[in-house]
Amino acid sequence: MFRKQSGILNIALCRKKQVTWSALKKTLSTMNDSILNGYDEIQVALMEERCILTDQNDKVTGPATKKTCHLMHNINKGMLHRAFSVFLFNSEGNLLLQQRSDAKITFPGHFTNTCCSHPLYTTSELDGALGVKRAAQRKLQHELGIDPIQLSSKDLKFVTRVHYKAENAPNPGTWGEHEIDYILIAQKDVDIKPNPNEVKSHQYVDKRQLLQMIDKSQMGDIWITPWFRLIVDQFLMYWWENLHNIEQCSDQTIHRLLD
């Protein structure tokens, strides 16, 4: 009886080892990719996440890895994926900004809106705006330590979608962005515990302070992500003035902010 149980246990352990080894091989394969040589190991592993490919009208066409989606070689062929940008304001009406970690593969060290990332090709995050809100909760916790209990999906208000394309900076050529970007706005006081692998710094700003940062970026003193700059130029001040009634600002349009 003992031998039989032991055999079952060994089989279970072997199966467990096989699954672990398979996952490890996948990670090692990514880390050995010459394009990703020299980058932070944690950020390299995240390049295996499966993003959501879409057509120009945001219809889902399939999955692709984060690495595949962000290669300029593919972007120049028209590859497009779904993303989101969160704008979180506190009760005083100030906007939470983050500076992206220097470990990031795309746009390292850039100042940007509260959180910007991608819904994944999973059942829970494929579900349109609701799936994007779930993804936003996941990434707000991952990047800024914001507990989903403090910021629920109902707190995140969908406003619109923006279609844009940008090449990576400060080192162009290999990486870039081409996204249908869902804009989510919330106003709530939350506790923040930044993940240093994702976030270099963070701060709340008022309108005047943000415009000063824009001026500094134009002088080359700081970097600001291209999607954030486009949204500031086109929409943000109007939304900021209407935080008390932000749902009335929403639309189903995909705004094309392309050169």
Side-chain angles (χ1 to χ4, degrees):
M1 180 66 69
F2 177 78
R3 290 180 180 176
K4 185 176 181 181
Q5 290 177 337
S6 177
I8 292 171
L9 180 61
N10 286 336
I11 290 171
L13 286 172
C14 287
R15 287 176 177 170
K16 185 176 180 180
K17 287 179 181 178
Q18 287 174 353
V19 171
T20 303
W21 177 239
S22 175
L24 179 59
K25 285 194 295 183
K26 188 174 183 180
T27 301
L28 289 172
S29 174
T30 304
M31 292 176 65
N32 288 332
D33 190 324
S34 60
I35 294 177
L36 293 167
N37 283 348
Y39 287 110
D40 177 83
E41 292 183 2
I42 296 174
Q43 293 296 322
V44 167
L46 290 171
M47 295 299 268
E48 282 300 304
E49 290 182 329
R50 294 204 308 166
C51 296
I52 301 169
L53 297 181
T54 71
D55 64 13
Q56 298 276 324
N57 296 313
D58 195 32
K59 181 179 179 181
V60 176
T61 59
T65 65
K66 185 178 175 183
K67 172 196 162 188
T68 300
C69 290
H70 290 83
L71 285 170
M72 283 305 300
H73 175 75
N74 296 323
I75 290 170
N76 289 333
K77 292 180 179 179
M79 184 173 285
L80 178 63
H81 64 277
R82 188 174 289 173
F84 65 81
S85 287
V86 176
F87 293 76
L88 175 61
F89 297 83
N90 62 16
S91 57
E92 296 179 357
N94 295 325
L95 173 62
L96 178 61
L97 303 184
Q98 67 158 277
Q99 182 182 18
R100 292 164 65 87
S101 166
D102 292 333
K104 299 289 280 186
I105 294 172
T106 56
F107 301 97
H110 284 57
F111 287 91
T112 193
N113 51 287
T114 311
C115 181
C116 11
S117 190
H118 316 88
L120 301 181
Y121 196 84
T122 63
T123 301
S124 64
E125 296 186 10
L126 275 164
D127 189 12
L130 178 58
V132 169
K133 290 180 181 183
R134 290 169 179 153
Q137 286 183 287
R138 172 176 57 80
K139 290 300 293 184
L140 282 163
Q141 186 170 38
H142 174 225
E143 295 186 5
L144 292 160
I146 299 174
D147 194 317
I149 295 174
Q150 289 193 340
L151 195 66
S152 71
S153 60
K154 290 183 179 180
D155 293 322
L156 293 162
K157 309 300 183 185
F158 167 73
V159 179
T160 194
R161 291 169 290 178
V162 170
H163 177 191
Y164 79 95
K165 182 164 67 173
E167 194 165 358
N168 189 40
N171 299 309
T174 303
W175 307 104
E177 297 282 5
H178 188 206
E179 300 180 330
I180 300 287
D181 193 13
Y182 282 61
I183 308 302
L184 304 175
I185 293 180
Q187 185 171 20
K188 200 167 186 184
D189 294 327
V190 298
D191 297 320
I192 301 169
K193 298 177 183 178
N195 175 355
N197 188 254
E198 293 286 332
V199 178
K200 184 174 182 178
S201 69
H202 69 283
Q203 60 184 298
Y204 281 97
V205 297
D206 58 25
K207 296 186 187 77
R208 179 184 59 82
Q209 291 168 324
L210 177 58
L211 293 176
Q212 287 175 344
M213 292 179 72
I214 297 295
D215 289 341
K216 286 183 179 180
S217 72
Q218 291 175 332
M219 296 173 64
D221 294 335
I222 63 173
W223 291 322
I224 290 180
T225 58
W227 61 89
F228 182 42
R229 179 59 190 274
L230 286 169
I231 292 167
V232 170
D233 289 346
Q234 299 287 331
F235 304 107
L236 183 59
M237 295 306 167
Y238 172 69
W239 296 334
W240 208 326
E241 292 291 337
N242 291 277
L243 287 178
H244 62 286
N245 199 24
I246 196 63
E247 290 176 316
Q248 298 302 312
C249 300
S250 66
D251 63 51
Q252 296 301 317
T253 303
I254 300 175
H255 298 273
R256 313 289 180 183
L257 305 183
L258 301 163
D259 293 335

